[in-house]
Amino acid sequence: MTVCTARRLTGAATILLALLPAATFAQAISITDQEGRAVTLDKPAERIVTIPMPMASGVIAIDGGAEKLVGMNPLSLTALREGILGRIFPDALNITDGVTGTDFVPNVEALAAVNPDLVIQWGGRGPEIVDPILNAGLNAMLIVYGNEDNAQTYMRNLATAIGKPERIEQLVDWRDTVMAAIAAKTEGLSAEERPNVLYLGRSLSDITASGAPNSYNNWYIDLAGGKNAAAELTGSQSINREQIAQWNPDVILLNSFEPELDVSWVYDDPILSLTQAAQNKRVYKMPLGGYRWDPPNQESPLTWIWLAELLHPELFDYDLRAEMRDAYKVLYNYELSDADIDGILWTGFQGDAAGYDQFAAR
């Protein structure tokens, strides 16, 4: 492990630990958002509302605190409460989530009350969730995702909007370095060497699977050396247990949006318990850190490392716990404890899942 650790510290962790405090620039800012709209700010945004769920924690990570965040999606606030970020930045728990519903429709009165310099909203989902913001005379920056290029673009735009472009360069370098290192070991795998992986975005009230294309889950399953068992679907769709049984995935990934969901949901089910994933104890719950690891966010390289180690432990020798500690020190200026890491990785929910002992504290 000593050799592995030395090699790790010369790669992604070295880039992370090289981050320096970023300066703030008091000058006009022009951004082209991901719908091609020009967004102009007289100065770096000091009051920001985030309507897409991952963006609240993204503002905190890129800015280094929650001071600029004045409104967020209710599910963003839920993630703060259920995960670790609310303990690292307890003041963030007092930020209003009344500015939007979980359907992303803005509450114009609540927006006006917090008087934001910038509202971050989804692009590509129709004018009905954007026009109310613009008609209220507020600045809106629209984002889209579905692949890593999109994620990096909106992270860059956010960093520019708050006046910290140099910080994002280092974070993007980390992402590119981890992505390239994993791809170098998985891109040559044959279809037979890639396990069929099924990501379930919801499981309790409804069962949804994430297909392809334009699915970030599909993208990182491929990066980590798997095949998307639900690739025949377009985007996220409702499915039933019989469909899962027909796909018979080798690996099942359970979402982190439902905190009470654990792997027993699969093992105790009379249909799902017969799948290859259940029979071989390869059912895993997605971690919840500064944000849920399922969608793109500031911690995504940790998602890729986690999944690559689970799918191909013979190819990878990352020390995930050390990588997490390095990342959290940079992203949030926080020293993770062993108990913190166990909570993020849901070690108590994973049961005796195959290969999960590699993430245990040593």
Side-chain angles (χ1 to χ4, degrees):
M1 292 303 294
T2 301
V3 173
C4 296
T5 301
R7 180 162 60 253
R8 177 184 57 77
L9 288 173
T10 62
T14 301
I15 291 173
L16 278 170
L17 293 175
L19 281 169
L20 296 174
T24 299
F25 302 94
Q27 60 204 42
I29 292 172
S30 295
I31 299 167
T32 300
D33 72 14
Q34 288 177 287
E35 276 204 350
R37 301 167 54 258
V39 181
T40 302
L41 302 170
D42 293 336
K43 61 180 181 178
E46 295 289 338
R47 300 179 62 80
I48 301 172
V49 167
T50 60
I51 294 180
M53 282 100 73
M55 293 303 295
S57 62
V59 170
I60 292 172
I62 293 172
D63 194 48
E67 292 79 9
K68 290 185 173 65
L69 197 58
V70 297
M72 69 179 81
N73 191 293
L75 291 178
S76 300
L77 188 57
T78 299
L80 289 174
R81 289 171 177 159
E82 294 170 355
I84 194 173
L85 211 58
R87 287 192 280 120
I88 301 174
F89 301 98
D91 289 347
L93 297 174
N94 299 320
I95 298 170
T96 181
D97 64 349
V99 293
T100 180
T102 57
D103 57 1
F104 313 115
V105 175
N107 180 330
V108 176
E109 290 184 0
L111 283 175
V114 297
N115 190 28
D117 303 319
L118 182 67
V119 180
I120 300 175
Q121 176 61 295
W122 287 120
R125 303 194 182 197
E128 60 273 9
I129 63 172
V130 178
D131 287 351
I133 302 169
L134 302 179
N135 292 339
L138 300 174
N139 272 318
M141 184 176 79
L142 307 185
I143 72 166
V144 297
Y145 74 61
N147 57 48
E148 179 60 12
D149 287 343
N150 286 338
Q152 291 194 17
T153 297
Y154 71 64
M155 289 176 68
R156 287 183 187 276
N157 284 349
L158 172 59
T160 300
I162 63 176
K164 296 190 174 179
E166 63 289 318
R167 177 167 170 79
I168 198 60
E169 291 304 325
Q170 300 293 339
L171 294 180
V172 166
D173 283 348
W174 174 46
R175 300 174 80 89
D176 287 343
T177 297
V178 175
M179 180 170 49
I182 293 175
K185 293 188 176 184
T186 62
E187 59 189 2
L189 293 173
S190 66
E192 292 73 23
E193 293 173 307
R194 291 174 173 266
N196 284 303
V197 181
L198 178 64
Y199 169 76
L200 299 179
R202 290 291 185 273
S203 298
L204 298 180
S205 59
D206 184 24
I207 304 175
T208 64
S210 187
N214 296 323
S215 160
Y216 200 72
N217 311 108
N218 180 79
W219 178 84
Y220 63 66
I221 287 170
D222 179 75
L223 173 69
K227 292 182 294 188
N228 186 356
E232 67 191 63
L233 303 181
T234 300
S236 178
Q237 295 188 28
S238 294
I239 59 169
N240 56 36
R241 287 167 170 80
E242 289 70 25
Q243 178 64 77
I244 296 174
Q246 181 179 346
W247 285 329
N248 193 22
D250 300 306
V251 175
I252 293 176
L253 303 178
L254 300 179
N255 72 81
S256 64
F257 288 86
E258 298 168 310
E260 66 274 33
L261 176 70
D262 67 31
V263 295
S264 64
W265 180 81
V266 174
Y267 296 133
D268 294 343
D269 187 274
I271 296 176
L272 302 183
S273 62
L274 301 177
T275 61
Q276 286 293 314
Q279 292 292 305
N280 294 320
K281 300 292 185 181
R282 300 188 77 185
V283 181
Y284 309 103
K285 183 174 177 66
M286 299 289 297
L288 167 57
Y291 190 68
R292 303 171 178 101
W293 284 14
D294 318 33
N297 65 83
Q298 65 278 1
E299 296 181 25
S300 290
L302 300 176
T303 306
W304 313 336
I305 291 170
W306 174 81
L307 186 57
E309 287 280 12
L310 288 173
L311 298 187
H312 294 286
E314 77 284 358
L315 294 180
F316 296 97
D317 54 10
Y318 284 106
D319 182 342
L320 178 61
R321 297 178 81 93
E323 295 283 350
M324 290 171 67
R325 286 192 170 95
D326 291 340
Y328 273 63
K329 181 63 178 174
V330 171
L331 290 170
Y332 314 117
N333 193 28
Y334 181 78
E335 298 280 357
L336 284 173
S337 68
D338 282 332
D340 290 333
I341 295 174
D342 288 340
I344 292 168
L345 298 179
W346 304 102
T347 57
F349 276 13
Q350 304 292 358
D352 57 352
Y356 222 77
D357 55 351
Q358 70 182 298
F359 304 139
R362 300 289 187 242

